[in-house]
Amino acid sequence: MKSVDIKKVPKTTIILYSCATLMTLCTIFMIYKSNTYISGLVAQGFDPSKEFVEVINYYLVTVTPFVFYTISLFSLGYIVEKINHIIKIQNINVENNRYLDKEPKNIDKESENIDEDDKDEIDDFFK
């Protein structure tokens, strides 16, 4: 059986993407928990219209770190994947340049040199 050439993704990228997915789930959970907490306060008599800034501040303090880490982990995974892709392209270009830098042996030049040598010997013979 032939092995199928599958586009390989670096392990670091997979780990970072999976951590970003977990952080996304944590973000959604924290939004839910913040909402239930504020709803519980409203049930106890808290008026969110008077303390609107405090409610927004609570949401931002609890949710923003998770959103930041989610975006950061996803971005790092993307950067690692692109750097790996760039390195592969550079390695291919280096290999191609190695082949291009070598001059192929030109058989015609060698035969010309041999012919010149032969002509000299033949010319000397007929003189």
Side-chain angles (χ1 to χ4, degrees):
M1 290 177 65
K2 291 184 180 180
S3 63
V4 179
D5 187 24
I6 298 174
K7 180 180 178 184
K8 294 188 178 185
V9 179
K11 292 178 184 177
T12 310
T13 302
I14 294 170
I15 292 170
L16 288 170
Y17 283 161
S18 60
C19 288
T21 304
L22 289 175
M23 291 304 291
T24 302
L25 295 174
C26 289
T27 303
I28 293 169
F29 178 72
M30 288 308 293
I31 290 171
Y32 170 74
K33 290 302 283 181
S34 297
N35 193 20
T36 56
Y37 177 74
I38 297 297
S39 297
L41 287 177
V42 169
Q44 293 176 358
F46 179 73
D47 188 16
S49 61
K50 290 182 182 176
E51 299 293 329
F52 186 70
V53 173
E54 293 298 323
V55 171
I56 297 298
N57 187 30
Y58 180 75
Y59 273 110
L60 289 177
V61 166
T62 56
V63 174
T64 303
F66 292 100
V67 172
F68 172 75
Y69 293 135
T70 300
I71 293 170
S72 297
L73 289 170
F74 182 78
S75 299
L76 286 173
Y78 184 78
I79 289 169
V80 167
E81 186 176 356
K82 290 302 173 184
I83 287 175
N84 188 35
H85 180 67
I86 289 171
I87 289 172
K88 284 182 182 178
I89 290 174
Q90 285 179 346
N91 287 340
I92 291 171
N93 287 341
V94 167
E95 289 176 5
N96 288 341
N97 286 340
R98 284 185 198 157
Y99 293 121
L100 293 176
D101 288 343
K102 293 181 182 178
E103 284 188 30
K105 292 182 179 179
N106 193 350
I107 299 173
D108 295 335
K109 287 183 180 179
E110 290 179 4
S111 64
E112 287 176 4
N113 291 337
I114 293 172
D115 290 337
E116 288 178 10
D117 291 337
D118 289 341
K119 287 179 185 177
D120 290 339
E121 292 176 8
I122 293 175
D123 288 336
D124 288 340
F125 180 75
F126 287 115
K127 285 186 181 178

